[in-house]
Amino acid sequence: MLGRSLFRKEIRENTLKFLFGVLLLGALALIITTPAASGPYPQSFFSRQDNLPGMETNLDKSPETAQKTLFSHFWKQWNSKGLALAGILVSIILGAGVFAQEKAKGTLFFLASTPLSRRNIYDTKVAAGLVLLFACIIGTTLLLILFTSFYGISLPVLPFVIGAFSAFCGLAVIYQVTIIFSILTDDPLKAGAASAFLSSLLSIPGLFEGGQKYSLLLQMQSRNSTLEEPFSWFFFLLMAALFFALRHLGLWLCYREEI
Amino acid sequence: MRNVFIMDFAVATAGLTKKYSFKTVLKDITLQIPKGKVFALLGPNGSGKTTFLKLISGLTRPSAGEGFCLGLNIATQGEEIRRSACFVSEEPRFYDFLTVQELLRFCRDLYPRWNSRFLDEHFKIFNIPIGEKIKNLSHGTRKQLALLIALAPEPELLFLDEPAAGFDPIFRRRFLNTALEKTIGEGKTVVIASHQLHEIERVADQIVFLREGQVLEHTSLQKIKANMKQIKVVFQTEPPSSLFTMEGILDVNRRENTFYIKVNRNIEAVWQACSRLPRFAMELTNLSLEEIYFYLMDNKREGDENNARPQSF
C-alpha cells in the first residue's frame, strides 16, 4: 500500500528535477526536429545525401523508402541519443536523493517515526519517482511528435510511444539501482556516481558477439521494436524481473540499514 | 512474557539488547513501564536512552531479548505501535519546503485520529505562524511544532527525547506542561529521556538510571527520595572511623569538620550513632534528584556488593 500524503510530498519535492528532465529532453526533441526546418522533408534529406562525396546517387528515392528512412532517422536520434542517454541522467538525478537527501537533512527519522512501514516508505518513494520519470519520457516523446508535425512530418505515434516505453523500462531499472545506492550513503552525489558506473557496466554485454540482447543500453534503444523489426517481449520481461529483484534488494537494505 | 502481564504495562521488556556492529549499546534491559505514569530515563550521553526509545517504539529492532509496547511486539509491530505512540526527537527535522499548514496536512493523513481543535488552540498559545515555511522557523518553534504534531493524534504513549534541551526555564516548563496536560491528564503514558534533572524531579513518577547501556537503578521518584537521605553533621572532635562503616552508609564527604553522610537504610541507627558524639550541629536532609544522580553515576558499579541494589530503595 502506498502512503498518499508521502506520495504527494515526493511529487512536490521532485518537481524541479522533473522539470529539468522535461527541459533537457524537450530541448533534445527540438534539436532533433530543427533540421527539418531547412526544407521539406524528405526531399532535402536526399538532396543533401546526393552532394556527399562518394555517395551512391542511384538510391531508391521512392516516397515509401524516403518515409521509412525519415522515420528511422528520427527513431535513432530520439531513442539512442535522447531517451537512452539523457534519460539515464534524468533517472539518476531523480533517484539519487530519494533516501540520501532525507538522511543528509535528517528528515528520514521524522518519516520513520510515523506509522508508515519501511515497505510503505520505499514503495511510495519508488512509485512517485516512476510516475515522474514516465511522465517525462512519454511526455517529451509526444512533444517530439508534436514538433515534427509543425514541419509537416507525421511520425507514427504508437511505435514511438512503445519505443519510449521500452526506454522507460530500462530507466526504471537504473532508477532502482540509484535508489539502492541512495540507501547506502547519505550523499546524493555519491549515490548518483555509483549508479552511473554500475549502469554503464550493464551495457558491457553489448560489446560481445551475441550479447546485444542483454545490453541494457542497446535494449533501451529499442532495436527489437523498431519500425523494421518485429516486436519482442524479451526485453520487457527481463527489465520487469530485474526491477522486482532490485525492489526486493532495496527493501531488504531499508530494513537492514534501519532507515 | 505472558499476555496478561504484557497488557498490564505500557511497555514491558525482557533482556532487551541492541548491538551495532561490535558495539553493545543496550545490554539486557528488563523493565516495565506502568500505564498512566511519567517515566524518566536518566543517564549520561551514550548511555543508551535514545536507543531504548527507538527500540520500544519499533523504530529499530532488538539484537536480543523481547519487548512489548501497548501490548504489541516491538520487533514485528512497529507500524501499529506508532499509530498509538508518538515520538518527539531531540532535534526535530521537517521538510523545509513545506509550510506549517502543509506539514500538518501531510501528518494528518498518516494517523487514524487527529485532533484539529487541539492544534488550533495551541497554535495560538505557542504563536506558531501557520502559513510560514518550515525553513523560516526557529529551533524552539520547530520543537513546539514537533510536540503539537506528536500530540494531535492523541497518542496512548508519548516518547520525548531530550524534550527541552537548550531552552530557557520558562519555555521548558511550558513545553513539558503542554505535553503532560494532554497525556497524563487523559490517563496516558509519557516516557522522557532527559538531562534536565530539575524538570524530571518535578514531573516524573518512575525513574530508570542508565549507564553504558545498563540499568543502574529502577525505582519510583518518591521511594528513592524517601529512602535516600543525607545527614549533615559538624563534630566537635574527630569521629571514630567505625562510624562510617555502619550498615546503610553509602558515601561520606568531609569538608573540614562538616561530614555529609549519604544513607539509604538503617537511617535511624546512623542518626543515633552520630548524635551520641559531641557535635556542634546535625541535620537530616533530603537529597535532590541531581545529587542522587551524581552519586549513582559516580559510585555505583556493576556487581559492587557494597553498593545498594535496586530493591534496597
Side-chain angles (χ1 to χ4, degrees):
Chain A
M1 216 179 74
L2 302 179
R4 212 172 35 162
S5 60
L6 177 60
F7 186 84
R8 279 199 300 264
K9 190 277 288 181
E10 288 295 316
I11 295 284
R12 181 157 168 207
E13 194 173 21
N14 290 306
T15 302
L16 271 179
K17 294 171 188 169
F18 166 73
L19 288 176
F20 167 79
V22 170
L23 276 176
L24 179 70
L25 285 163
L28 277 170
L30 205 60
I31 290 165
I32 291 167
T33 316
T34 306
S38 61
Y41 261 36
Q43 289 78 1
S44 62
F45 182 76
F46 281 118
S47 62
R48 280 202 302 273
Q49 281 194 338
D50 286 343
N51 296 333
L52 290 173
M55 196 73 178
E56 282 186 48
T57 51
N58 57 346
L59 287 169
D60 176 7
K61 293 180 185 174
S62 66
E64 293 77 29
T65 310
Q67 194 79 314
K68 226 171 161 182
T69 312
L70 183 66
F71 290 167
S72 178
H73 164 73
F74 275 106
W75 182 273
K76 282 170 187 162
Q77 289 293 314
W78 182 241
N79 282 59
S80 305
K81 292 178 185 166
L83 299 185
L85 295 176
I88 288 176
L89 184 66
V90 175
S91 59
I92 287 175
I93 287 172
L94 275 172
V98 168
F99 286 102
Q101 199 170 300
E102 292 236 27
K103 279 200 265 184
K105 289 185 176 177
T107 51
L108 200 56
F109 182 80
F110 162 67
L111 191 58
S113 63
T114 67
L116 288 170
S117 65
R118 290 193 172 98
R119 183 189 295 265
N120 273 158
I121 294 171
Y122 185 89
D123 285 345
T124 306
K125 279 176 169 284
V126 169
L130 287 181
V131 165
L132 292 176
L133 191 61
F134 183 81
C136 183
I137 300 301
I138 302 295
T140 51
T141 301
L142 294 175
L143 210 59
L144 171 81
I145 294 167
L146 185 73
F147 287 159
T148 52
S149 72
F150 290 148
Y151 298 112
I153 303 159
S154 41
L155 294 176
V157 177
L158 191 65
F160 267 82
V161 170
I162 291 172
F165 184 71
S166 172
F168 167 75
C169 290
L171 294 174
V173 168
I174 292 171
Y175 177 69
Q176 278 277 24
V177 170
T178 315
I179 286 179
I180 284 169
F181 284 114
S182 185
I183 295 168
L184 296 171
T185 174
D186 55 4
D187 184 351
L189 268 177
K190 281 185 193 163
S195 172
F197 176 71
L198 193 74
S199 302
S200 64
L201 293 184
L202 291 174
S203 299
I204 285 180
L207 300 173
F208 302 100
E209 190 67 34
Q212 278 86 351
K213 80 179 195 176
Y214 303 104
S215 161
L216 183 71
L217 196 63
L218 287 178
Q219 288 292 343
M220 276 167 55
Q221 292 168 18
S222 317
R223 292 206 170 178
N224 285 334
S225 46
T226 56
L227 299 174
E228 297 92 2
E229 292 177 34
F231 181 80
S232 163
W233 283 104
F234 175 79
F235 174 70
F236 294 98
L237 293 174
L238 182 67
M239 289 301 107
L242 255 178
F243 182 85
F244 285 106
L246 287 168
R247 183 255 181 196
H248 277 76
L249 175 65
L251 204 52
W252 176 77
L253 281 172
C254 274
Y255 280 97
R256 202 200 68 168
E257 297 287 310
E258 295 188 336
I259 59 147
Chain B
M1 279 187 275
R2 283 185 302 115
N3 279 352
V4 179
F5 178 75
I6 290 161
M7 298 306 290
D8 287 345
F9 294 96
V11 176
T13 68
L16 208 60
T17 300
K18 181 68 184 173
K19 289 179 186 172
Y20 288 110
S21 301
F22 299 106
K23 195 181 175 202
T24 304
V25 184
L26 272 183
K27 192 177 171 189
D28 198 22
I29 305 287
T30 299
L31 52 83
Q32 296 85 41
I33 300 177
K35 286 180 177 170
K37 302 280 183 195
V38 178
F39 188 91
L41 293 162
L42 300 178
N45 291 333
S47 57
K49 301 188 295 293
T50 302
T51 306
F52 182 72
L53 291 185
K54 282 183 180 175
L55 276 168
I56 58 176
S57 56
L59 282 168
T60 185
R61 287 185 180 190
S63 310
E66 61 175 345
F68 292 86
C69 180
L70 302 170
L72 300 160
N73 191 320
I74 60 168
T76 55
Q77 293 176 289
E79 298 96 84
E80 287 92 330
I81 290 171
R82 292 193 296 277
R83 276 192 204 119
S84 309
C86 292
F87 199 114
V88 180
S89 65
E90 187 177 358
E91 289 280 336
R93 300 275 172 87
F94 302 115
Y95 301 110
D96 281 347
F97 62 93
L98 296 178
T99 63
V100 172
Q101 194 154 29
E102 287 164 343
L103 181 71
L104 293 179
R105 210 173 298 139
F106 172 80
C107 296
R108 188 185 59 198
D109 292 344
L110 301 175
Y111 291 93
R113 290 185 302 277
W114 191 259
N115 189 341
S116 299
R117 214 178 66 184
F118 163 81
L119 278 182
D120 292 343
E121 284 167 13
H122 282 80
F123 268 84
K124 281 179 197 147
I125 295 169
F126 284 163
N127 202 19
I128 299 174
I130 195 117
E132 195 65 68
K133 286 230 163 140
I134 302 290
K135 66 179 172 193
N136 298 330
L137 300 180
S138 68
H139 176 60
T141 311
R142 280 181 200 217
K143 196 114 185 187
Q144 285 170 328
L145 181 61
L147 177 67
L148 296 184
I149 286 173
L151 291 173
E154 301 184 323
E156 291 297 312
L157 184 53
L158 181 67
F159 300 114
L160 300 174
D161 188 10
E162 298 293 351
F167 294 130
D168 63 75
I170 295 170
F171 179 92
R172 267 204 313 259
R173 186 152 291 201
R174 192 171 64 166
F175 186 90
L176 272 176
N177 285 353
T178 307
L180 298 179
E181 274 167 25
K182 184 76 185 122
T183 48
I184 295 303
E186 295 173 10
K188 292 159 182 175
T189 313
V190 179
V191 182
I192 308 176
S194 180
H195 288 121
Q196 304 292 332
L197 298 172
H198 292 296
E199 292 301 329
I200 294 296
E201 191 165 9
R202 192 170 65 83
V203 300
D205 298 306
Q206 289 209 3
I207 293 175
V208 154
F209 294 91
L210 287 173
R211 193 182 56 202
E212 291 163 9
Q214 287 178 291
V215 174
L216 284 183
E217 198 73 65
H218 175 197
T219 180
S220 77
L221 184 66
Q222 210 180 5
K223 206 171 170 187
I224 198 171
K225 291 199 74 175
N227 290 347
M228 202 162 173
K229 304 279 185 187
Q230 181 169 264
I231 299 168
K232 180 184 168 188
V233 54
V234 187
F235 290 113
Q236 289 176 6
T237 55
E238 190 67 26
S241 57
S242 60
L243 174 69
F244 304 120
T245 56
M246 283 182 74
E247 191 195 345
I249 293 180
L250 297 171
D251 186 42
V252 179
N253 270 315
R254 180 179 186 170
R255 280 174 220 151
E256 295 180 353
N257 283 339
T258 308
F259 289 78
Y260 298 86
I261 307 165
K262 287 191 181 72
V263 193
N264 78 328
R265 59 186 190 280
N266 203 23
I267 297 170
E268 188 65 37
V270 176
W271 176 267
Q272 290 297 334
C274 291
S275 63
R276 278 196 290 271
L277 297 168
R279 68 198 187 280
F280 292 115
M282 191 166 95
E283 65 173 328
L284 185 70
T285 55
N286 288 323
L287 287 172
S288 69
L289 182 60
E290 192 170 323
E291 287 169 310
I292 296 169
Y293 176 84
F294 283 122
Y295 165 72
L296 287 172
M297 291 302 153
D298 289 344
N299 296 290
K300 206 156 182 180
R301 293 277 178 271
E302 190 190 1
D304 187 344
E305 295 294 322
N306 296 323
N307 280 309
R309 300 311 307 152
Q311 290 74 17
S312 64
F313 286 102

